Amino acid sequence: MVEPVHRYSDKSALLPPPLLELQKLAGLAPDPPLSTGPPEQVSRSLRRRLEPALIKRIVAEYESGATTPSLCATYGLSKTGILRLLRDDGVALRRRPLTDDQVQVARAMYERGHPIATIASRLDTSYNNVRQRLVKEGVQLRPRGGSYK
């Protein structure tokens, strides 16, 4: 006599009921602590994350002529964070407009197809500084994601 296949493939009778298994697992877990207030916020303030000596060193380097992009690269911080640290310490921020020679280089590079980000990196300035100066010079800007020749 041949028995049906399902008799050999259905092993559900050998397994414990799911509810009983879940209750066993729940009994093994520790009770969660009771909280009376909102969860504590973790501060991401640079002042709290960085040592005061490091902040002083960043300020000193900026005052001695270091650029914000170089400080960002050296310390792994965002430009916004560096500028905030400097402003909070009362440092007079310098704006470095492009010189006439730099404007001519930027214009020539842009007209040859170089992206603004590449030009800004080469001139050691910000993307917006180059972009705004090109607009002021009357250069017709390409749509973003343009080609590099």
Side-chain angles (χ1 to χ4, degrees), residues 31-80:
D31 291 334
L34 297 175
S35 175
T36 57
E40 184 180 331
Q41 293 291 328
V42 178
S43 174
R44 297 213 180 270
S45 170
L46 283 177
R47 292 232 173 251
R48 291 185 185 178
R49 286 191 293 145
L50 301 178
E51 296 290 325
L54 179 61
I55 294 171
K56 286 181 182 179
R57 187 168 53 207
I58 291 170
V59 168
E61 286 182 31
Y62 182 81
E63 289 177 333
S64 68
T67 63
T68 51
S70 69
L71 291 172
C72 293
T74 301
Y75 296 103
L77 300 172
S78 69
K79 184 172 182 178
T80 304

Side-chain angles (χ1 to χ4, degrees), residues 2-13:
V2 176
E3 295 185 27
V5 173
H6 76 277
R7 182 174 237 175
Y8 294 101
S9 61
D10 183 15
K11 299 190 185 238
S12 61

Side-chain angles (χ1 to χ4, degrees), residues 134-148:
L134 289 173
V135 168
K136 187 177 178 182
E137 293 293 316
V139 175
Q140 180 66 37
L141 298 182
R142 298 182 297 267
R144 290 194 73 140
S147 66
Y148 173 74

Side-chain angles (χ1 to χ4, degrees), residues 106-114 119 139 142 149:
R107 183 180 197 132
M109 287 179 71
Y110 189 77
E111 288 172 351
R112 284 194 309 262
H114 290 272
I119 299 166
V139 175
R142 298 182 297 267
K149 295 180 184 176

Side-chain angles (χ1 to χ4, degrees), residues 96-135:
R96 295 186 330 150
L98 296 177
T99 65
D100 292 335
D101 290 340
Q102 288 176 317
V103 171
Q104 294 310 313
V105 168
R107 183 180 197 132
M109 287 179 71
Y110 189 77
E111 288 172 351
R112 284 194 309 262
H114 290 272
I116 294 175
T118 301
I119 299 166
S121 178
R122 168 129 185 258
L123 298 176
D124 194 26
T125 189
S126 71
Y127 176 96
N128 281 331
N129 197 9
V130 174
R131 184 185 179 286
Q132 289 171 357
R133 191 58 192 265
L134 289 173
V135 168

